[in-house]
Amino acid sequence: MALSGADVPNPLEQLTVEQLRLRTSMKWRTHPDDVLPLWVAEMDVPLAGPIADALNVAVARGDTGYPSGGGAYGEALAGFAARRWGWDGLDVERTAIVPDVMLGIVEVVKLVTEPGDAIVVNAPVYPPFYAFVTHADRRIVEARLGATGRVDLEALGAAFASARRTSDRVAYLLSNPHNPTGAVHSGDELTGIAALAREHGVRVVSDEIHAPLVLAGASFTPYLSVEGAQDAFAVTSASKAWNLAGLKAALVIAGPEAADDLARMPEEVSHGPSHLGVLAHTVALNEGEAWLDALLAGLAANRDLLGRLIAEHLPLARYTPPEGTYLAWLDCRALGLDEPGGTDGPGVVSELAGPARAFLDEARVALSSGHVFGSGGAGHVRLNFAASNVVLTEAITRMGTVQRA
């Protein structure tokens, strides 16, 4: 009999800080041991049982060779999409394996634009959107989010028009759900985006890495499922939902009108994913839903706890509970912690300024600095709440001691 989420203990409450500090990943090795790390998007959870079992079997067999392709991975994602989102339009023939989501996005951008072309993003947004695009010799055009942290269709249309005046080929990187605000775009919002993209001849590339992480009160709509998205792409993986960032594997999905573009992707790109990565992501999508449901329940509880802690310890901070992801976007401009911005621009994740610098230096809590997310990010921090109640409570309590307003 298949397990349900109620049969699985909350993954967020299974590991102690002492156990976590034995990890050698970026989250736990970047800062000294007196710092609580709530910055990079890595969860404080054990590996889901089915994934651990599959990897143990593969290692015991010595099954650590080259990946055999992404067909099983694509089929697993198609089944997951049908079960979780009611979408049966994912054609495995229009998928390709890539090393990870951001490298997949860059490869798609190279298919549909040329060096010097414009790439539109909704600021503030995931910093690698800036870094990876500019490293690929494309230029960023920002469309600011609305005041509620959601896509502003009027601003997006204006950005599309501006980009087309200087570029024959324009792409738009959609963060769906949005990182860092946690907004889960509705079907109507996505349909409006698709209509604008069609009107202006813009190719949409939807980053859907957080798609399984939609919390109670919201529902996820795959961008490729909406009318007008036939020439678009989505890029996704099980990385964020099952904590698999160190096991590289992702999928690019092409809409029906984008299949010929996907067919031009260089063959060597498929060499980047690891065999164990493809195996782990496939098992996650096929067998990891009970674990995911337990995680989502824990994240929803943490979202509520975070709201209470902020009200108690950081009452001047503004916080809109996210609909998805495990990331909270905190407006700290009223706390009196501002200072000159970082020396580097958007995309430089390691650069700290303003509230994030104060919280690290004085509270020993590591957060992501808002200014690296682009326009509208200064004075904000991004906080990863995929941690235990103990860690989350200690972190916000510490942060409450450094406000100056």
Side-chain angles (χ1 to χ4, degrees):
M1 183 175 66
L3 294 176
S4 70
D7 299 317
V8 179
N10 181 356
L12 297 165
E13 298 295 338
Q14 295 182 30
L15 298 174
T16 66
V17 172
E18 291 72 27
Q19 289 173 311
L20 290 164
R21 290 203 185 280
L22 296 175
R23 292 184 169 181
T24 58
S25 62
M26 178 188 294
K27 179 177 183 179
W28 289 96
R29 289 302 170 101
T30 296
H31 299 285
D33 283 353
D34 64 331
V35 172
L36 291 177
L38 277 67
W39 60 294
V40 72
E42 175 184 325
M43 297 189 289
D44 296 347
V45 295
L47 199 58
I51 302 173
D53 291 344
L55 292 175
N56 286 333
V57 169
V59 170
R61 290 173 176 166
D63 186 10
T64 54
Y66 296 106
S68 60
Y73 190 176
E75 291 169 3
L77 179 60
F80 183 86
R83 293 189 302 274
R84 304 290 289 201
W85 309 321
W87 181 42
D88 61 2
L90 198 162
D91 185 345
V92 177
E93 296 299 314
R94 295 198 307 272
T95 66
I97 56 168
V98 292
D100 59 33
V101 166
M102 275 312 307
L103 290 177
I105 286 172
V106 169
E107 292 299 332
V108 171
V109 164
K110 290 178 180 178
L111 294 175
V112 299
T113 65
E114 297 292 337
D117 283 339
I119 310 297
V120 177
V121 302
N122 293 122
V125 74
Y126 183 50
F129 276 19
Y130 294 91
F132 281 59
V133 164
T134 54
H135 292 163
D137 296 323
R138 272 68 173 175
R139 55 191 176 83
I140 291 288
V141 174
E142 292 185 326
R144 287 282 296 272
L145 295 175
T148 61
R150 308 191 74 86
V151 172
D152 181 331
L153 292 179
E154 184 176 349
L156 185 62
F160 285 173
S162 173
R164 284 309 306 265
R165 285 194 290 269
T166 60
S167 185
D168 291 335
R169 297 158 298 272
V170 176
Y172 164 52
L173 301 189
L174 171 66
S175 183
N176 179 34
H178 192 84
N179 176 0
T181 67
V184 176
H185 310 302
S186 69
D188 287 344
E189 287 173 318
L190 295 176
T191 300
I193 289 169
L196 284 174
R198 286 284 187 176
E199 176 185 348
H200 293 280
V202 172
R203 302 297 294 277
V204 178
V205 185
S206 184
D207 175 352
E208 300 187 351
I209 196 169
H210 287 102
L213 293 168
V214 172
L215 306 180
S219 59
F220 175 73
T221 301
Y223 181 74
L224 293 180
S225 71
V226 305
E227 182 60 35
Q230 291 87 346
D231 67 342
F233 296 85
V235 191
T236 193
S237 79
S239 170
K240 289 294 182 282
W242 285 272
N243 216 43
L244 302 176
L247 292 167
K248 293 287 189 178
L251 285 172
V252 174
I253 312 158
E257 296 174 14
D260 289 344
D261 290 316
L262 185 61
R264 293 188 290 107
M265 183 174 287
E267 187 265 344
E268 61 266 23
V269 175
S270 67
H271 296 181
S274 78
H275 178 51
L276 293 181
V278 173
L279 173 63
H281 289 246
T282 302
V283 171
L285 294 165
N286 279 334
E287 303 176 39
E289 286 182 72
W291 187 93
L292 176 63
D293 287 336
L295 171 70
L296 292 174
L299 290 175
N302 276 14
R303 175 179 60 177
D304 295 342
L305 172 62
L306 182 60
R308 297 192 298 272
L309 291 169
I310 290 172
E312 179 180 357
H313 298 284
L314 292 167
L316 295 180
R318 295 175 58 193
Y319 160 65
T320 299
E323 297 175 314
T325 79
Y326 46 78
L327 306 169
W329 186 237
L330 307 185
D331 182 347
C332 299
R333 288 175 291 180
L335 301 183
L337 304 177
D338 289 335
E339 59 187 55
T343 57
D344 294 298
V348 185
V349 180
S350 62
E351 185 71 16
L352 291 180
R357 170 56 63 188
F359 288 136
L360 177 60
D361 289 346
E362 301 178 43
R364 309 306 286 162
V365 176
L367 307 171
S368 298
S369 187
H371 79 284
V372 302
F373 291 78
S375 296
H380 294 69
V381 296
R382 192 191 72 175
L383 181 150
N384 174 354
F385 60 87
S388 69
N389 284 192
V390 169
V391 168
L392 198 56
T393 300
E394 173 66 16
I396 304 302
T397 302
R398 289 187 191 183
M399 290 165 61
T401 67
V402 299
Q403 56 192 323
R404 314 198 213 291

Short mmCIF file of all heavy atoms in Angstrom, two decimals, residues 259-285:
data_model
loop_
_atom_site.label_atom_id
_atom_site.label_comp_id
_atom_site.label_asym_id
_atom_site.label_seq_id
_atom_site.Cartn_x
_atom_site.Cartn_y
_atom_site.Cartn_z
N ALA A 259 9.62 22.57 -30.81
CA ALA A 259 10.31 21.28 -30.92
C ALA A 259 11.52 21.36 -31.85
O ALA A 259 12.57 20.77 -31.57
CB ALA A 259 9.33 20.21 -31.40
N ASP A 260 11.38 22.08 -32.97
CA ASP A 260 12.51 22.17 -33.90
C ASP A 260 13.67 22.92 -33.28
O ASP A 260 14.84 22.60 -33.55
CB ASP A 260 12.07 22.86 -35.20
CG ASP A 260 11.15 22.00 -36.04
OD1 ASP A 260 11.09 20.77 -35.79
OD2 ASP A 260 10.49 22.54 -36.94
N ASP A 261 13.39 23.92 -32.45
CA ASP A 261 14.46 24.62 -31.76
C ASP A 261 15.18 23.67 -30.80
O ASP A 261 16.42 23.65 -30.74
CB ASP A 261 13.91 25.81 -30.98
CG ASP A 261 13.42 26.93 -31.88
OD1 ASP A 261 14.13 27.26 -32.85
OD2 ASP A 261 12.33 27.46 -31.63
N LEU A 262 14.41 22.90 -30.04
CA LEU A 262 15.02 21.98 -29.08
C LEU A 262 15.90 20.96 -29.80
O LEU A 262 16.94 20.55 -29.28
CB LEU A 262 13.94 21.27 -28.27
CG LEU A 262 14.46 20.36 -27.15
CD1 LEU A 262 15.25 21.15 -26.12
CD2 LEU A 262 13.30 19.62 -26.49
N ALA A 263 15.49 20.55 -30.99
CA ALA A 263 16.26 19.57 -31.75
C ALA A 263 17.64 20.09 -32.13
O ALA A 263 18.54 19.29 -32.44
CB ALA A 263 15.49 19.15 -33.00
N ARG A 264 17.82 21.41 -32.10
CA ARG A 264 19.12 22.00 -32.43
C ARG A 264 20.06 22.09 -31.23
O ARG A 264 21.20 22.53 -31.37
CB ARG A 264 18.92 23.40 -33.02
CG ARG A 264 18.22 23.43 -34.37
CD ARG A 264 18.21 24.83 -34.99
NE ARG A 264 17.33 25.75 -34.26
CZ ARG A 264 17.75 26.73 -33.47
NH1 ARG A 264 19.05 26.91 -33.27
NH2 ARG A 264 16.89 27.53 -32.87
N MET A 265 19.60 21.67 -30.06
CA MET A 265 20.46 21.74 -28.90
C MET A 265 21.67 20.83 -29.11
O MET A 265 21.52 19.68 -29.51
CB MET A 265 19.72 21.33 -27.63
CG MET A 265 20.56 21.46 -26.37
SD MET A 265 19.61 21.14 -24.86
CE MET A 265 18.62 22.63 -24.77
N PRO A 266 22.89 21.32 -28.85
CA PRO A 266 24.08 20.49 -29.08
C PRO A 266 24.04 19.19 -28.29
O PRO A 266 23.64 19.16 -27.13
CB PRO A 266 25.22 21.40 -28.59
CG PRO A 266 24.69 22.78 -28.72
CD PRO A 266 23.23 22.68 -28.42
N GLU A 267 24.46 18.13 -28.94
CA GLU A 267 24.39 16.80 -28.33
C GLU A 267 25.20 16.71 -27.04
O GLU A 267 24.84 16.01 -26.09
CB GLU A 267 24.87 15.76 -29.35
CG GLU A 267 24.70 14.31 -28.91
CD GLU A 267 25.96 13.75 -28.26
OE1 GLU A 267 27.04 14.37 -28.43
OE2 GLU A 267 25.86 12.71 -27.60
N GLU A 268 26.30 17.49 -26.97
CA GLU A 268 27.17 17.39 -25.81
C GLU A 268 26.52 17.91 -24.53
O GLU A 268 26.97 17.59 -23.42
CB GLU A 268 28.49 18.13 -26.05
CG GLU A 268 28.36 19.61 -26.31
CD GLU A 268 28.30 19.95 -27.79
OE1 GLU A 268 27.93 19.06 -28.59
OE2 GLU A 268 28.60 21.10 -28.14
N VAL A 269 25.46 18.70 -24.66
CA VAL A 269 24.78 19.20 -23.45
C VAL A 269 24.23 18.03 -22.63
O VAL A 269 24.23 18.07 -21.40
CB VAL A 269 23.65 20.17 -23.84
CG1 VAL A 269 22.86 20.59 -22.60
CG2 VAL A 269 24.21 21.40 -24.54
N SER A 270 23.80 16.97 -23.31
CA SER A 270 23.22 15.82 -22.60
C SER A 270 24.27 15.03 -21.83
O SER A 270 23.92 14.14 -21.06
CB SER A 270 22.50 14.90 -23.58
OG SER A 270 23.42 14.28 -24.47
N HIS A 271 25.55 15.35 -22.02
CA HIS A 271 26.60 14.65 -21.30
C HIS A 271 26.80 15.21 -19.89
O HIS A 271 27.49 14.61 -19.07
CB HIS A 271 27.93 14.75 -22.05
CG HIS A 271 27.92 14.08 -23.39
ND1 HIS A 271 29.01 14.05 -24.22
CD2 HIS A 271 26.93 13.42 -24.05
CE1 HIS A 271 28.70 13.40 -25.33
NE2 HIS A 271 27.45 13.01 -25.25
N GLY A 272 26.22 16.37 -19.60
CA GLY A 272 26.44 17.03 -18.32
C GLY A 272 25.76 16.40 -17.13
O GLY A 272 26.34 16.35 -16.04
N PRO A 273 24.51 15.92 -17.25
CA PRO A 273 23.87 15.31 -16.08
C PRO A 273 24.60 14.05 -15.64
O PRO A 273 25.19 13.35 -16.45
CB PRO A 273 22.46 14.96 -16.60
CG PRO A 273 22.28 15.74 -17.84
CD PRO A 273 23.65 15.93 -18.42
N SER A 274 24.55 13.76 -14.35
CA SER A 274 25.17 12.53 -13.87
C SER A 274 24.17 11.38 -13.90
O SER A 274 22.96 11.59 -13.78
CB SER A 274 25.70 12.72 -12.44
OG SER A 274 24.65 12.64 -11.50
N HIS A 275 24.68 10.19 -14.03
CA HIS A 275 23.83 9.00 -14.04
C HIS A 275 23.06 8.89 -12.74
O HIS A 275 21.84 8.64 -12.73
CB HIS A 275 24.70 7.76 -14.27
CG HIS A 275 23.95 6.47 -14.26
ND1 HIS A 275 22.83 6.24 -15.01
CD2 HIS A 275 24.17 5.32 -13.55
CE1 HIS A 275 22.38 5.02 -14.78
NE2 HIS A 275 23.17 4.45 -13.90
N LEU A 276 23.74 9.07 -11.60
CA LEU A 276 23.05 9.00 -10.32
C LEU A 276 22.06 10.15 -10.16
O LEU A 276 21.03 9.99 -9.49
CB LEU A 276 24.07 9.02 -9.17
CG LEU A 276 24.97 7.79 -9.07
CD1 LEU A 276 25.91 7.92 -7.88
CD2 LEU A 276 24.15 6.51 -8.95
N GLY A 277 22.36 11.30 -10.76
CA GLY A 277 21.42 12.40 -10.73
C GLY A 277 20.13 12.07 -11.45
O GLY A 277 19.03 12.28 -10.93
N VAL A 278 20.24 11.55 -12.67
CA VAL A 278 19.04 11.17 -13.43
C VAL A 278 18.25 10.13 -12.66
O VAL A 278 17.02 10.20 -12.55
CB VAL A 278 19.44 10.64 -14.83
CG1 VAL A 278 18.23 10.08 -15.55
CG2 VAL A 278 20.08 11.75 -15.65
N LEU A 279 18.94 9.15 -12.08
CA LEU A 279 18.27 8.11 -11.30
C LEU A 279 17.53 8.72 -10.11
O LEU A 279 16.35 8.42 -9.87
CB LEU A 279 19.31 7.10 -10.81
CG LEU A 279 18.82 6.02 -9.84
CD1 LEU A 279 17.78 5.13 -10.51
CD2 LEU A 279 20.00 5.19 -9.34
N ALA A 280 18.20 9.60 -9.35
CA ALA A 280 17.59 10.18 -8.16
C ALA A 280 16.37 11.02 -8.50
O ALA A 280 15.33 10.94 -7.82
CB ALA A 280 18.62 11.02 -7.41
N HIS A 281 16.46 11.84 -9.53
CA HIS A 281 15.34 12.70 -9.89
C HIS A 281 14.16 11.88 -10.41
O HIS A 281 13.00 12.20 -10.13
CB HIS A 281 15.79 13.71 -10.95
CG HIS A 281 16.72 14.77 -10.41
ND1 HIS A 281 16.37 16.10 -10.33
CD2 HIS A 281 17.98 14.69 -9.91
CE1 HIS A 281 17.37 16.79 -9.81
NE2 HIS A 281 18.36 15.94 -9.55
N THR A 282 14.46 10.82 -11.13
CA THR A 282 13.39 9.95 -11.64
C THR A 282 12.66 9.27 -10.49
O THR A 282 11.42 9.24 -10.46
CB THR A 282 13.98 8.91 -12.60
OG1 THR A 282 14.65 9.57 -13.68
CG2 THR A 282 12.89 8.01 -13.17
N VAL A 283 13.41 8.74 -9.54
CA VAL A 283 12.78 8.09 -8.38
C VAL A 283 11.98 9.10 -7.57
O VAL A 283 10.88 8.80 -7.07
CB VAL A 283 13.86 7.41 -7.51
CG1 VAL A 283 13.27 6.93 -6.20
CG2 VAL A 283 14.49 6.24 -8.27
N ALA A 284 12.50 10.31 -7.40
CA ALA A 284 11.78 11.33 -6.65
C ALA A 284 10.39 11.56 -7.23
O ALA A 284 9.38 11.59 -6.51
CB ALA A 284 12.57 12.64 -6.65
N LEU A 285 10.31 11.71 -8.53
CA LEU A 285 9.03 12.00 -9.19
C LEU A 285 8.10 10.79 -9.19
O LEU A 285 6.88 10.94 -9.10
CB LEU A 285 9.28 12.48 -10.62
CG LEU A 285 10.00 13.83 -10.73
CD1 LEU A 285 10.53 14.04 -12.14
CD2 LEU A 285 9.08 14.97 -10.34
#
